Amino acid sequence: MWYLCVFFHRLLDYRKPEVESLAQLFGAIEDPQNDDVPFQLQWKLPPHYHTDSPFHFVNLPSEQLAHDIAKRSILVKGMYELWGEGSSYEELKESVLSYPDERKLPYLDSDSTFKITVDSFGKVISLDEQKELIQGLSYIPFKGRVKLRNPDHNFWLIEVDNYGGNNGLPPIVQKRIFFGREVGGAVRKLIPTYQLKSRNYLGPTAMDAEMAFLMANQALATSGKLVYDPFVGTGSILVAAAHFGAMTMGADIDIRVVRDGRGPNCNVWSNFKQYGLPMPVGLLRADNNLPPWRPTLKEVFDAIICDPPYGVRAGGRKSGGRKLLKGAVKPYTVPGDKRTDHIPSTAPYSLVECVHDLLDLAAKMLVMGGRLVFFYPVLREDDFAESHFPEHPCFKLISSSEQILSSRYSRVLLTMVKTGPYTEEIAEMAGIKHMEFKENHVKWLEDGNLHSAVFSPADGQLTEAGDPKLIKDPKPKYRGKYV
C-alpha cells in the first residue's frame, strides 16, 4: 500500500537510505546480497514536486511496518494513510469523499477519540486559519470525541504552498493539500536527550547525536547484535548503537582516551552511565593498522560503524613512530616498571592506508551480511562519483549519502554490506584494488593532506591582487543540500 512519507527538511541525501535500511531491519526487504528479493521499496513524488521535497510516497507491505519505520527513524516526521489530496480544498473534498468508506469508517466510530492537526510547508498558517480549515472538514462524518492528548486516531491536514523564491526550499510549481490518518510519527525527543552540549565527556571529534543515530540505523543496530567502532574516541557512535539495544565494543590508538578520560567520572564509560545504557563489552587500546585479534578469530561483529580520521579536525595515527618506521632505531621493549603510564610512539597514518586497513578488518571480522558504515571525505571541485570511493571484493556498496560542509568540502556516509567470505585470494584482489585506487585517486587524498586542501582558498576566489573571497557568487534560489 502507498503511504505518504513526510520527512524533516534536512540531511536530504540521508532520508531514503535510512527508510530503506529500517525497512530491511523490520523484515520488509531481504538481505541485498540475495538476488531473489520478493519485495522492493518503491518511491514516487507528488505531481510537480522537486526530488528534494519532504513529501514522498512509499509503497510498504503493511501498516505495522510503516509505524515501526516512522517510530525509529530520525528523519521521518510521519507516515500517513492518505485519504485525499488536491491543488485546492474543493479538489481535496472530492478526493476524500471518493476514498473507500470501508477504509474510513473504522476510524470514525463513535467509541473512538480523534484529533486533527493542521501543518504547512513553505508558509505559516495562523491559529484562526487553522480553526477555519478544521471546520471546513465537516463533510467527513466524525462521530467520535475530540481528544487533544493521546487520541485513538490522529488526522493531519497538510498544506504546501507554491513557491519558487529565494527561500532555500525546493521549488514547487503547484499548491498541494493532503489529508490523511497518521500511521506512525517520529519520536524527536531522542535528539535533545542525547545532544552533545549535555554530554558528560566530549572530545573535538565527537559525532553529532543526530548523525550517530542515522549511522546506527544504517548499520541495522538492534538487540542481540555486536557493533564495533575502531576509532571510538569519546564513544558517541556506540552510545547511539547501545540506545537501540546493540552490544558495543570500541578501540582507539590513544590509551588516554579509552582508559583515563578526564577522571573517574568523566570518561567513555560515564557517557553510557549518563543515559542508563549497557556498558560496552570492552574498550581497547588498539591500532587499526596492527589489529590485536588472533588470526583464528573471524566474523564476530554484526556491524562496524566509525568516522575514520581524515585530517580535518584530527589526523590519523598509527603505531611505530617516525624513526622506528624509517629504520633509524630498533624496536624496543618497555621496562616493566614503566608500562603502566607508557604512551606508545605513533606516526602519521594517511587516509588511503587507513581506509584500506578498515576494509580489510571488516572483511575478516564482519559476519556475512554484516554492514560497514563510515564517513569518507570529498572535495567539491572534483567530479563527485562513486568511482572515487574505496572498493573491496567482499563488499557491495548499497548507499552513499552526501553531507555538504562547505563550498569546497563534503563528506559521504558509505554503507557497505558483506557479500562474500574472506580468503587469501580475496585479500590479494583487495590489495590490487587498493593500489589502483591509490594511483588513480586525487593527490590530496594520497598525501593525506586534506586539512590544507579544505582550508586553503580556492583558485576562483583569488583576484588579481591576490585577495581571497572578494568575489562572491550570487546566492542560488534553492540551496538544496545546504539547508
Side-chain angles (χ1 to χ4, degrees):
M1 181 175 176
W2 288 97
Y3 294 92
L4 176 65
C5 179
V6 181
F7 292 103
F8 291 101
H9 191 59
R10 52 180 293 101
L11 298 173
L12 308 184
D13 264 11
Y14 293 73
R15 302 180 303 183
K16 288 183 181 180
E18 186 199 22
V19 171
E20 290 166 355
S21 294
L22 293 178
Q24 180 179 333
L25 176 64
F26 294 121
I29 305 175
E30 289 190 353
D31 197 303
Q33 64 177 317
N34 186 0
D35 294 331
D36 185 20
V37 180
F39 178 80
Q40 289 284 354
L41 214 59
Q42 296 175 292
W43 296 91
K44 65 180 182 181
L45 281 167
H48 312 297
Y49 272 41
H50 192 278
T51 54
D52 287 342
S53 165
F55 300 91
H56 285 73
F57 290 107
V58 59
N59 190 13
L60 297 172
S62 70
E63 183 173 311
Q64 184 61 45
L65 178 62
H67 170 82
D68 292 342
I69 291 174
K71 185 177 180 181
R72 170 150 169 174
S73 173
I74 303 302
L75 296 178
V76 172
K77 187 176 183 179
M79 290 274 192
Y80 308 93
E81 178 195 359
L82 196 63
W83 286 15
E85 62 175 313
S87 58
S88 66
Y89 282 94
E90 290 75 16
E91 286 187 16
L92 176 67
K93 180 178 179 179
E94 293 177 5
S95 180
V96 172
L97 291 177
S98 63
Y99 193 69
D101 288 340
E102 60 270 19
R103 296 289 307 170
K104 293 186 294 187
L105 293 179
Y107 308 101
L108 304 176
D109 189 84
S110 58
D111 294 331
S112 63
T113 59
F114 72 96
K115 173 187 175 182
I116 300 176
T117 302
V118 178
D119 197 8
S120 61
F121 184 75
K123 63 178 298 183
V124 176
I125 301 178
S126 67
L127 289 177
D128 291 337
E129 290 175 320
Q130 292 182 32
K131 291 178 182 177
E132 290 181 12
L133 293 176
I134 292 175
Q135 292 170 358
L137 299 174
S138 58
Y139 54 86
I140 303 176
F142 292 106
K143 298 179 181 178
R145 179 170 53 89
V146 174
K147 186 180 180 183
L148 299 182
R149 287 191 177 183
N150 300 319
D152 296 328
H153 311 300
N154 277 307
F155 297 92
W156 286 72
L157 179 66
I158 307 173
E159 183 174 330
V160 185
D161 203 7
N162 56 321
Y163 46 81
N166 193 5
N167 58 3
L169 299 176
I172 292 178
V173 177
Q174 192 177 44
K175 176 179 180 179
R176 206 73 182 164
I177 307 164
F178 304 98
F179 180 81
R181 177 180 63 89
E182 181 184 289
V183 172
V187 185
R188 286 293 284 184
K189 65 180 181 181
L190 199 66
I191 305 303
T193 299
Y194 286 90
Q195 59 187 337
L196 291 184
K197 67 180 182 181
S198 61
R199 189 72 56 86
N200 187 18
Y201 177 46
L202 281 179
T205 60
M207 180 62 66
D208 172 71
E210 181 180 44
M211 194 61 70
F213 280 109
L214 280 171
M215 296 175 77
N217 279 340
Q218 289 290 89
L220 311 184
T222 190
S223 179
K225 291 190 175 183
L226 179 59
V227 174
Y228 177 63
D229 182 356
F231 311 101
V232 67
T234 57
S236 296
I237 293 175
L238 294 189
V239 164
H243 171 84
F244 291 132
M247 297 180 290
T248 58
M249 186 174 181
D252 201 281
I253 195 170
D254 191 343
I255 192 171
R256 294 166 295 183
V257 173
V258 295
R259 184 189 65 184
D260 304 325
R262 296 193 179 93
N265 298 316
C266 186
N267 50 40
V268 180
W269 304 97
S270 64
N271 281 344
F272 287 82
K273 185 178 179 180
Q274 176 182 355
Y275 301 112
L277 298 174
M279 294 294 174
V281 174
L283 295 176
L284 310 176
R285 188 277 173 191
D287 182 2
N288 187 56
N289 185 243
L290 296 170
W293 322 110
R294 63 179 186 269
T296 56
L297 184 64
K298 295 181 180 180
E299 300 190 347
V300 295
F301 301 123
D302 295 285
I304 294 177
I305 319 174
C306 61
D307 183 22
Y310 39 82
V312 177
R313 288 183 295 177
R317 308 293 296 179
K318 64 180 179 180
S319 299
R322 288 186 177 88
K323 292 182 179 180
L324 184 63
L325 293 176
K326 292 179 179 179
V329 298
K330 296 180 180 180
Y332 58 90
T333 301
V334 180
D337 60 333
K338 298 184 181 299
R339 289 188 178 184
T340 301
D341 298 321
H342 176 71
I343 299 175
S345 300
T346 60
Y349 190 25
S350 71
L351 179 60
V352 170
E353 189 179 6
C354 174
V355 171
H356 172 68
D357 292 339
L358 175 63
L359 289 170
D360 189 65
L361 167 72
K364 290 179 182 177
M365 304 300 290
L366 278 178
V367 300
M368 195 66 68
R371 289 194 170 193
L372 169 63
V373 181
F374 66 101
F375 271 111
Y376 189 76
V378 175
L379 286 183
R380 299 301 305 161
E381 57 261 37
D382 297 321
D383 293 331
F384 179 70
E386 290 188 1
S387 60
H388 281 188
F389 300 155
E391 298 180 76
H392 194 283
C394 282
F395 289 96
K396 175 183 177 183
L397 178 67
I398 59 174
S399 73
S400 56
S401 306
E402 183 184 14
Q403 181 186 19
I404 296 176
L405 302 177
S406 73
S407 59
R408 301 194 65 202
Y409 162 60
S410 67
R411 59 180 182 176
V412 180
L413 184 65
L414 301 181
T415 302
M416 298 180 171
V417 62
K418 185 176 177 180
T419 58
Y422 184 86
T423 63
E424 294 300 324
E425 293 77 12
I426 288 291
E428 186 176 346
M429 291 173 59
I432 295 172
K433 281 185 175 291
H434 167 64
M435 293 308 298
E436 293 175 352
F437 172 75
K438 184 176 181 179
E439 291 172 3
N440 297 331
H441 213 282
V442 286
K443 187 85 164 50
W444 60 267
L445 183 55
E446 181 181 342
D447 295 341
N449 194 19
L450 181 61
H451 186 280
S452 61
V454 170
F455 292 104
S456 61
D459 293 339
Q461 295 176 326
L462 296 174
T463 63
E464 293 182 358
D467 295 327
K469 299 183 180 178
L470 294 181
I471 301 177
K472 295 184 178 180
D473 295 330
K475 184 178 179 182
K477 288 186 177 181
Y478 170 49
R479 299 191 295 276
K481 293 159 189 164
Y482 288 95
V483 177

Coordinates of all heavy atoms in Angstrom, one line a residue, residues 131-188:
K131 N -8.4 26.9 12.6 CA -9.7 26.5 13.1 C -10.7 26.5 11.9 O -11.5 25.6 11.8 CB -10.2 27.6 14.1 CG -9.4 27.5 15.4 CD -9.9 28.6 16.4 CE -9.1 28.5 17.7 NZ -9.5 29.6 18.6
E132 N -10.6 27.5 11.0 CA -11.5 27.5 9.8 C -11.3 26.3 8.9 O -12.2 25.7 8.4 CB -11.2 28.8 9.0 CG -11.7 30.1 9.7 CD -11.4 31.3 8.9 OE1 -11.1 31.1 7.7 OE2 -11.5 32.4 9.4
L133 N -10.0 25.9 8.7 CA -9.7 24.8 7.9 C -10.2 23.5 8.5 O -10.8 22.6 7.8 CB -8.2 24.7 7.7 CG -7.5 25.8 6.9 CD1 -6.0 25.6 6.8 CD2 -8.1 25.8 5.4
I134 N -10.1 23.4 9.8 CA -10.7 22.2 10.5 C -12.2 22.1 10.4 O -12.8 21.1 10.1 CB -10.2 22.1 12.0 CG1 -8.7 21.9 12.1 CG2 -11.0 21.0 12.7 CD1 -8.1 22.0 13.5
Q135 N -12.8 23.3 10.6 CA -14.3 23.4 10.4 C -14.7 23.0 9.0 O -15.8 22.5 8.8 CB -14.8 24.7 10.8 CG -14.6 25.0 12.3 CD -14.9 26.5 12.7 OE1 -15.2 27.3 11.8 NE2 -14.9 26.8 14.0
G136 N -13.9 23.3 8.0 CA -14.2 23.0 6.6 C -14.2 21.6 6.3 O -14.6 21.2 5.2
L137 N -13.7 20.7 7.2 CA -13.7 19.3 7.0 C -15.0 18.6 7.6 O -15.1 17.4 7.8 CB -12.5 18.7 7.7 CG -11.1 19.1 7.3 CD1 -10.1 18.5 8.2 CD2 -10.9 18.7 5.8
S138 N -16.1 19.4 7.7 CA -17.3 18.9 8.3 C -18.0 17.8 7.4 O -18.8 17.1 7.8 CB -18.3 20.1 8.5 OG -18.5 20.7 7.2
Y139 N -17.5 17.7 6.1 CA -18.1 16.7 5.2 C -17.6 15.3 5.6 O -18.1 14.3 5.1 CB -17.7 17.0 3.8 CG -16.3 17.2 3.5 CD1 -15.4 16.2 3.2 CD2 -15.7 18.5 3.5 CE1 -14.1 16.4 3.0 CE2 -14.4 18.7 3.2 CZ -13.6 17.6 3.0 OH -12.2 17.8 2.7
I140 N -16.6 15.2 6.5 CA -16.1 13.9 6.9 C -16.9 13.6 8.2 O -16.9 14.3 9.2 CB -14.6 14.0 7.3 CG1 -13.8 14.4 6.1 CG2 -14.1 12.6 7.8 CD1 -12.3 14.5 6.3
P141 N -17.6 12.4 8.2 CA -18.6 12.1 9.3 C -17.9 11.6 10.6 O -18.0 10.4 10.9 CB -19.4 11.0 8.7 CG -18.6 10.3 7.7 CD -17.7 11.4 7.1
F142 N -17.1 12.5 11.2 CA -16.5 12.2 12.5 C -17.6 12.0 13.6 O -18.4 12.9 13.8 CB -15.5 13.3 13.0 CG -14.3 13.4 12.1 CD1 -14.2 14.5 11.2 CD2 -13.3 12.5 12.2 CE1 -13.1 14.6 10.5 CE2 -12.2 12.6 11.4 CZ -12.0 13.7 10.6
K143 N -17.6 10.8 14.2 CA -18.6 10.5 15.2 C -18.0 10.4 16.6 O -18.7 10.4 17.6 CB -19.4 9.2 14.9 CG -20.1 9.3 13.6 CD -20.8 7.9 13.3 CE -21.6 8.0 12.0 NZ -22.2 6.7 11.7
G144 N -16.7 10.3 16.6 CA -16.0 10.1 17.9 C -15.9 11.4 18.7 O -16.4 12.5 18.3
R145 N -15.1 11.4 19.8 CA -14.9 12.5 20.7 C -13.5 13.1 20.4 O -12.6 12.4 20.3 CB -15.1 12.1 22.1 CG -14.9 13.2 23.2 CD -15.3 12.6 24.5 NE -14.7 11.4 24.9 CZ -13.5 11.3 25.5 NH1 -12.8 12.4 25.8 NH2 -13.0 10.1 25.7
V146 N -13.5 14.4 20.4 CA -12.2 15.1 20.2 C -11.4 15.0 21.5 O -11.9 15.2 22.6 CB -12.4 16.6 19.9 CG1 -11.0 17.3 19.9 CG2 -13.1 16.7 18.6
K147 N -10.1 14.6 21.3 CA -9.2 14.5 22.5 C -7.8 14.9 22.0 O -7.2 14.3 21.1 CB -9.1 13.0 23.0 CG -8.3 12.8 24.2 CD -8.3 11.3 24.6 CE -7.5 11.1 25.9 NZ -7.4 9.7 26.3
L148 N -7.3 16.0 22.6 CA -6.1 16.6 22.2 C -4.8 15.8 22.6 O -3.7 16.0 22.0 CB -6.0 18.0 22.6 CG -7.1 18.9 22.1 CD1 -6.9 20.4 22.5 CD2 -7.2 18.9 20.6
R149 N -4.9 15.1 23.7 CA -3.7 14.3 24.2 C -4.0 12.8 24.1 O -5.0 12.3 24.6 CB -3.4 14.7 25.6 CG -2.8 16.0 25.8 CD -2.3 16.2 27.2 NE -1.7 17.5 27.4 CZ -1.1 17.9 28.6 NH1 -1.1 17.0 29.6 NH2 -0.5 19.1 28.7
N150 N -3.1 12.2 23.4 CA -3.2 10.7 23.2 C -4.5 10.2 22.7 O -5.1 9.3 23.3 CB -2.8 10.0 24.5 CG -1.4 10.3 25.0 OD1 -0.5 10.4 24.2 ND2 -1.3 10.6 26.3
P151 N -5.0 10.7 21.6 CA -6.3 10.2 21.0 C -6.0 8.9 20.3 O -4.9 8.5 20.1 CB -6.6 11.3 20.0 CG -5.3 11.9 19.5 CD -4.4 11.8 20.7
D152 N -7.1 8.2 20.0 CA -7.0 6.9 19.4 C -6.5 7.1 17.9 O -5.7 6.3 17.4 CB -8.4 6.2 19.3 CG -8.9 5.9 20.7 OD1 -8.0 5.6 21.6 OD2 -10.1 5.9 20.9
H153 N -6.9 8.2 17.3 CA -6.6 8.4 15.9 C -6.1 9.9 15.7 O -6.8 10.8 16.2 CB -7.7 8.1 15.0 CG -8.4 6.8 15.2 ND1 -7.7 5.6 15.1 CD2 -9.7 6.5 15.6 CE1 -8.5 4.6 15.4 NE2 -9.7 5.1 15.7
N154 N -5.0 10.0 15.0 CA -4.5 11.4 14.6 C -4.7 11.6 13.1 O -4.3 10.8 12.3 CB -3.0 11.5 14.9 CG -2.7 11.8 16.4 OD1 -3.3 12.8 16.9 ND2 -1.9 11.0 17.1
F155 N -5.4 12.7 12.8 CA -5.5 13.1 11.4 C -4.8 14.4 11.1 O -4.7 15.3 12.0 CB -7.0 13.3 11.1 CG -7.8 12.1 11.2 CD1 -8.5 11.8 12.4 CD2 -8.0 11.2 10.2 CE1 -9.2 10.6 12.6 CE2 -8.8 10.0 10.3 CZ -9.4 9.7 11.5
W156 N -4.2 14.5 9.9 CA -3.4 15.6 9.6 C -3.9 16.2 8.3 O -4.1 15.6 7.3 CB -1.9 15.2 9.4 CG -1.2 14.9 10.7 CD1 -1.4 13.8 11.5 CD2 -0.2 15.7 11.3 NE1 -0.6 13.9 12.6 CE2 0.2 15.0 12.5 CE3 0.4 16.9 11.0 CZ2 1.1 15.5 13.4 CZ3 1.4 17.3 11.8 CH2 1.8 16.7 13.0
L157 N -4.0 17.6 8.3 CA -4.2 18.4 7.1 C -3.0 19.2 6.9 O -2.6 20.0 7.7 CB -5.4 19.3 7.4 CG -5.8 20.2 6.2 CD1 -6.3 19.5 5.1 CD2 -6.8 21.3 6.7
I158 N -2.3 18.9 5.7 CA -1.0 19.5 5.4 C -1.1 20.3 4.2 O -1.5 19.7 3.1 CB 0.0 18.4 5.3 CG1 0.1 17.5 6.5 CG2 1.4 19.0 5.0 CD1 1.0 16.3 6.4
E159 N -0.8 21.5 4.2 CA -0.9 22.4 3.1 C 0.5 22.8 2.7 O 1.4 23.3 3.5 CB -1.7 23.7 3.4 CG -1.9 24.6 2.2 CD -2.8 25.8 2.5 OE1 -3.7 25.6 3.4 OE2 -2.6 26.9 2.0
V160 N 0.8 22.7 1.4 CA 2.1 23.1 0.8 C 1.9 24.2 -0.2 O 1.2 23.9 -1.2 CB 2.8 21.9 0.1 CG1 4.2 22.2 -0.4 CG2 2.9 20.7 1.1
D161 N 2.4 25.3 0.0 CA 2.1 26.5 -0.9 C 3.1 26.4 -2.1 O 4.2 25.9 -2.0 CB 2.3 27.8 -0.1 CG 1.6 28.9 -0.8 OD1 0.8 28.6 -1.7 OD2 1.7 30.0 -0.4
N162 N 2.6 26.9 -3.2 CA 3.5 27.0 -4.4 C 4.5 28.2 -4.2 O 4.1 29.3 -3.7 CB 2.7 27.2 -5.7 CG 1.8 28.4 -5.6 OD1 1.2 28.7 -4.5 ND2 1.7 29.2 -6.7
Y163 N 5.8 27.9 -4.4 CA 6.8 28.9 -4.2 C 8.0 28.6 -5.1 O 8.2 27.5 -5.6 CB 7.2 29.0 -2.7 CG 7.5 27.6 -2.1 CD1 8.7 27.0 -2.4 CD2 6.5 27.0 -1.4 CE1 8.9 25.7 -1.8 CE2 6.7 25.7 -0.9 CZ 7.9 25.1 -1.1 OH 8.1 23.9 -0.6
G164 N 8.8 29.6 -5.3 CA 10.0 29.5 -6.1 C 10.9 30.6 -5.8 O 11.8 30.8 -6.6
G165 N 10.7 31.3 -4.7 CA 11.5 32.4 -4.4 C 12.8 31.9 -3.7 O 13.1 30.8 -3.6
N166 N 13.6 32.9 -3.3 CA 14.9 32.7 -2.8 C 14.8 32.4 -1.3 O 15.2 33.2 -0.4 CB 15.8 33.9 -3.0 CG 17.2 33.7 -2.8 OD1 17.6 32.5 -2.5 ND2 18.0 34.7 -2.8
N167 N 14.2 31.3 -0.9 CA 13.9 30.9 0.5 C 14.6 29.6 0.9 O 14.3 29.1 2.0 CB 12.4 30.9 0.7 CG 11.7 29.9 -0.2 OD1 12.4 29.2 -0.9 ND2 10.4 29.8 -0.1
G168 N 15.4 29.0 0.0 CA 16.1 27.8 0.4 C 15.2 26.5 0.4 O 15.6 25.5 0.9
L169 N 14.0 26.6 -0.1 CA 13.1 25.5 -0.2 C 13.0 25.0 -1.6 O 13.1 25.7 -2.6 CB 11.7 25.9 0.3 CG 11.6 26.3 1.7 CD1 10.2 26.8 2.1 CD2 12.1 25.3 2.7
P170 N 12.8 23.6 -1.8 CA 12.7 23.1 -3.1 C 11.6 23.7 -3.9 O 10.5 23.8 -3.3 CB 12.6 21.6 -2.9 CG 12.1 21.5 -1.5 CD 12.7 22.6 -0.7
P171 N 11.7 24.0 -5.2 CA 10.7 24.7 -5.9 C 9.5 23.7 -6.2 O 9.7 22.6 -6.5 CB 11.4 25.1 -7.2 CG 12.5 24.1 -7.3 CD 13.0 23.9 -6.0
I172 N 8.3 24.3 -6.0 CA 7.0 23.5 -6.3 C 6.2 24.4 -7.2 O 5.9 25.6 -7.0 CB 6.3 23.2 -5.0 CG1 7.1 22.2 -4.2 CG2 4.9 22.6 -5.3 CD1 6.5 21.8 -2.9
V173 N 5.8 23.8 -8.3 CA 5.0 24.5 -9.3 C 3.6 24.8 -8.9 O 3.0 25.8 -9.2 CB 5.0 23.8 -10.7 CG1 4.2 24.5 -11.7 CG2 6.5 23.6 -11.2
Q174 N 3.0 23.8 -8.2 CA 1.6 23.9 -7.9 C 1.3 23.6 -6.4 O 2.0 22.8 -5.8 CB 0.9 22.8 -8.7 CG -0.7 23.0 -8.7 CD -1.3 21.9 -9.6 OE1 -0.9 20.7 -9.6 NE2 -2.2 22.3 -10.5
K175 N 0.4 24.4 -5.8 CA 0.0 24.2 -4.5 C -0.6 22.8 -4.3 O -1.3 22.2 -5.2 CB -1.1 25.2 -4.1 CG -1.7 25.1 -2.7 CD -2.7 26.2 -2.5 CE -3.3 26.2 -1.1 NZ -4.2 27.3 -0.9
R176 N -0.4 22.2 -3.1 CA -0.9 20.8 -2.9 C -1.4 20.7 -1.4 O -0.8 21.3 -0.5 CB 0.2 19.8 -3.1 CG -0.3 18.4 -3.5 CD -0.9 18.4 -4.9 NE -1.4 17.1 -5.2 CZ -2.2 17.0 -6.3 NH1 -2.6 18.0 -7.0 NH2 -2.7 15.8 -6.6
I177 N -2.5 20.0 -1.2 CA -3.1 19.9 0.1 C -3.3 18.4 0.3 O -3.8 17.7 -0.5 CB -4.4 20.6 0.2 CG1 -4.3 22.1 -0.2 CG2 -5.0 20.5 1.7 CD1 -5.6 22.8 -0.4
F178 N -2.9 17.9 1.5 CA -3.0 16.5 1.8 C -3.9 16.3 3.1 O -3.8 17.1 4.0 CB -1.6 15.8 2.1 CG -0.7 16.0 1.0 CD1 0.3 16.9 1.0 CD2 -0.7 15.1 -0.1 CE1 1.2 17.1 0.0 CE2 0.2 15.2 -1.2 CZ 1.2 16.2 -1.1
F179 N -4.7 15.3 3.1 CA -5.4 14.9 4.3 C -5.3 13.4 4.5 O -5.5 12.6 3.6 CB -6.9 15.3 4.3 CG -7.6 14.9 5.5 CD1 -7.5 15.8 6.7 CD2 -8.3 13.7 5.6 CE1 -8.2 15.4 7.8 CE2 -9.0 13.4 6.8 CZ -8.9 14.2 7.9
G180 N -4.9 13.0 5.7 CA -4.7 11.6 6.0 C -4.6 11.2 7.4 O -4.6 12.1 8.3
R181 N -4.6 9.9 7.7 CA -4.6 9.4 9.1 C -3.1 9.0 9.4 O -2.5 8.4 8.6 CB -5.5 8.2 9.2 CG -5.4 7.5 10.5 CD -6.3 6.3 10.6 NE -5.9 5.3 9.6 CZ -5.1 4.3 9.9 NH1 -4.5 4.2 11.1 NH2 -4.7 3.4 8.9
E182 N -2.7 9.5 10.5 CA -1.3 9.2 10.9 C -1.2 7.7 11.3 O -1.9 7.2 12.1 CB -0.9 10.1 12.1 CG 0.6 9.8 12.6 CD 0.9 10.6 13.8 OE1 1.1 11.8 13.7 OE2 1.0 10.0 14.9
V183 N -0.2 7.1 10.6 CA 0.1 5.7 10.9 C 1.2 5.6 11.9 O 1.2 4.7 12.7 CB 0.4 5.0 9.6 CG1 1.0 3.5 9.8 CG2 -0.8 4.9 8.6
G184 N 2.2 6.5 11.8 CA 3.3 6.5 12.7 C 4.0 7.8 12.7 O 4.1 8.5 11.7
G185 N 4.4 8.3 13.9 CA 5.1 9.6 14.0 C 6.4 9.5 14.6 O 6.7 8.5 15.3
A186 N 7.3 10.4 14.4 CA 8.7 10.4 14.9 C 8.7 10.7 16.4 O 7.8 11.4 16.9 CB 9.5 11.5 14.1
V187 N 9.7 10.2 17.0 CA 10.0 10.4 18.4 C 11.2 11.3 18.5 O 12.3 10.9 18.7 CB 10.2 9.1 19.2 CG1 10.3 9.4 20.7 CG2 9.1 8.1 19.0
R188 N 11.0 12.6 18.3 CA 12.2 13.5 18.1 C 12.8 13.9 19.5 O 13.8 14.6 19.5 CB 11.7 14.8 17.4 CG 11.5 14.7 15.9 CD 12.8 14.4 15.2 NE 13.6 15.6 15.0 CZ 14.7 15.6 14.3 NH1 15.2 14.5 13.8 NH2 15.5 16.7 14.2

